[in-house]
Amino acid sequence: MKTEQLVELLARQAGPAPRHAVERRVAMAASLGAAGSIAGAIGALGLNTSLTDMGVALAVKLAYVAALMLSAAWFVDRVARPGTPWRRALWAVATVVLAMALLAATVWSRADETQRLDLLLGRSWASCPWRVAALSVPALAAVVWALRGLAPTRPRWAGFAAGLFAGSLGALGYALYCPELSPLFVLVWYTAGVLLPAALGALLGPLLLRW
Amino acid sequence: MRNDFEDQLRPIWLDAHAGDEAAYRRALALIADRLRGYFARRMGGLSPDVEDLVQETLLALHLQRGTYDTGVPVTAWVHGIARHKLVDLWRRRGRSEGLFESFDELADDLHPAVHEEPGVQRDLDQLLGSLTAAQRQAIVDTKLEGLSVADAARRAGVSESAIKVNVHRGLKRLAGLIRGLP
């Protein structure tokens, strides 16, 4: 087949480029991942019945998780496109973590010395990251599926981005169960839980995101 | 790929992006010429490998054109895909280098003409022959005979979206066939 012939074949009846191809795929993966995470949290851990009494603490927690989700979704969108700058999206994720760190540091510095360890560890520090990571598994599968139909040219970074996004979706479900109120706890252990699938994604990216 | 090429390509590409078929044809032809130079420089001269890479990249551009963000230079996006395809080829060659070397040497000795006419040893009919009947029909109707998607759907007795899916999957399969050839 001559290249000229291929060009003719591709151009003929091609129509306009698909609109929002990346956004639509990422949104679909996000819906599947969020559904998996929420169903998993309620099914395996149970809904925390005192959520409504948590007030500001819950709002801060959810705001952090939502900000992570949005920035990581942007990161995934960027790495799905060849030749498209993506570092700013990575910085956006880092900025979200930094903002939460500032808040956590403020709360921590104002707290009584005797309470500080409690603010960090709460009652569930040992299980929190693993549960966040476990709840992110369906999301990770969905986001990797989404990226496999797109064009990531940096598979390791793409896997990392997929893992961050999946981790934040896992954290969303976990927040429905989590009894903790301290922003320091959320900063350290939620972020650790998000970084676990991110590390897994970075590891698997070169294997799974080939095209 | 220099800036003046971006200036030349961008308006044509944007027209193509919006659905202008003639602009798309022109844009792909312009890109193909550039890609040939790009790959030839990196592969040590013109060869069938170069033409395979050009074709593989054009197919990838087409299949992934939904990932183009209009805020980014077209050339940056094209280059991202071309580089990816080149690295992919090198990595695959690197893994089974011995195998490829002996195979290529043999092929060179037996078929010296292959290097003279890059790419023409596989014709389109042969490639289309390895698609499913539905994929082949969808591509032949819309891409070779130039039927509209609606007419092709009517002829095949399926929905318009089925035609589009079959064309897309068929082209994906073609890309895989070109990629799989040594």
Side-chain angles (χ1 to χ4, degrees):
Chain A
M1 174 174 55
K2 291 208 163 132
T3 298
E4 209 184 339
Q5 212 179 351
L6 177 66
V7 166
E8 181 58 38
L9 185 81
L10 294 178
R12 209 150 190 204
Q13 301 284 334
R19 289 175 63 85
H20 307 299
V22 178
E23 292 91 332
R24 271 189 292 148
R25 244 180 130 83
V26 173
M28 192 185 287
S31 317
L32 289 172
S37 166
I38 291 169
I42 294 174
L45 301 170
L47 188 67
N48 188 334
T49 48
S50 54
L51 275 183
T52 46
D53 307 327
M54 290 183 179
V56 179
L58 180 68
V60 167
K61 191 191 288 180
L62 289 179
Y64 179 56
V65 171
L68 275 182
M69 264 168 50
L70 286 175
S71 55
W74 186 36
F75 189 15
V76 170
D77 176 284
R78 296 289 95 182
V79 295
R81 304 169 187 270
T84 303
W86 50 276
R87 280 171 214 277
R88 250 195 301 165
L90 180 58
W91 281 114
V93 177
T95 304
V96 168
V97 177
L98 196 70
M100 188 64 177
L102 282 174
L103 179 71
T106 310
V107 172
W108 190 77
S109 66
R110 286 182 184 172
D112 211 58
E113 291 251 0
T114 53
Q115 292 177 334
R116 284 182 173 174
L117 195 63
D118 212 40
L119 283 178
L120 174 64
L121 301 180
R123 285 170 288 156
S124 57
W125 68 274
S127 59
C128 168
W130 303 109
R131 284 172 164 170
V132 168
L135 290 173
S136 73
V137 169
L140 186 59
V143 180
V144 165
W145 162 82
L147 281 175
R148 280 174 65 91
L150 298 166
T153 52
R154 286 179 173 73
R156 205 170 286 285
W157 281 109
F160 183 70
L164 280 181
F165 187 38
S168 62
L169 289 163
L172 177 71
Y174 186 71
L176 300 178
Y177 158 82
C178 174
E180 305 290 345
L181 303 170
S182 152
L184 183 62
F185 180 95
V186 173
L187 169 76
V188 174
W189 306 112
Y190 273 53
T191 309
V194 170
L195 286 173
L196 284 170
L200 184 66
L203 210 66
L204 295 179
L207 294 172
L208 297 178
L209 299 175
R210 201 172 279 173
W211 55 281
Chain B
M1 295 185 192
R2 297 203 316 268
N3 260 347
D4 54 352
F5 183 51
E6 177 68 28
D7 294 342
Q8 181 192 9
L9 181 61
R10 187 174 175 80
I12 307 171
W13 183 262
L14 291 179
D15 285 349
H17 210 65
D20 180 338
E21 188 180 315
Y24 195 35
R25 190 176 291 117
R26 253 190 88 205
L28 289 177
L30 284 170
I31 290 170
D33 289 347
R34 287 290 169 136
L35 287 175
R36 197 169 294 116
Y38 173 84
F39 289 129
R41 264 202 308 283
R42 283 156 186 81
M43 302 281 290
L46 281 170
S47 67
D49 284 341
V50 167
E51 213 54 28
D52 280 349
L53 275 171
V54 170
Q55 296 192 1
E56 217 192 300
T57 306
L58 289 175
L59 273 157
L61 286 176
H62 175 73
L63 292 167
Q64 290 298 341
R65 69 188 186 128
T67 67
Y68 174 64
D69 176 340
T70 50
V72 171
V74 186
T75 47
W77 179 76
V78 170
H79 181 252
I81 295 177
R83 187 180 148 278
H84 180 76
K85 288 292 169 194
L86 184 65
V87 169
D88 175 63
L89 179 78
W90 277 341
R91 199 192 41 231
R92 284 185 289 137
R93 291 284 163 90
R95 275 202 189 147
S96 45
E97 205 164 9
L99 187 80
F100 276 114
E101 250 167 27
S102 56
F103 186 85
D104 282 348
E105 266 164 28
L106 182 69
D108 284 353
D109 290 340
L110 291 178
H111 307 286
V114 169
H115 278 293
E116 309 294 329
E117 294 185 334
V120 290
Q121 76 276 25
R122 268 178 283 115
D123 64 29
L124 183 59
D125 290 340
Q126 199 182 326
L127 284 168
L128 290 176
S130 18
L131 306 182
T132 68
Q135 289 168 356
R136 187 169 52 242
Q137 194 60 50
I139 288 179
V140 168
D141 283 356
T142 62
K143 298 287 194 176
L144 297 178
E145 293 186 16
L147 289 184
S148 69
V149 173
D151 288 342
R154 216 166 297 129
R155 186 193 267 193
V158 296
S159 68
E160 288 185 33
S161 66
I163 294 290
K164 286 183 188 167
V165 166
N166 277 327
V167 169
H168 189 83
R169 290 200 180 142
L171 292 176
K172 229 169 155 174
R173 175 123 180 81
L174 286 188
L177 288 170
I178 293 173
R179 182 178 185 263
L181 287 165

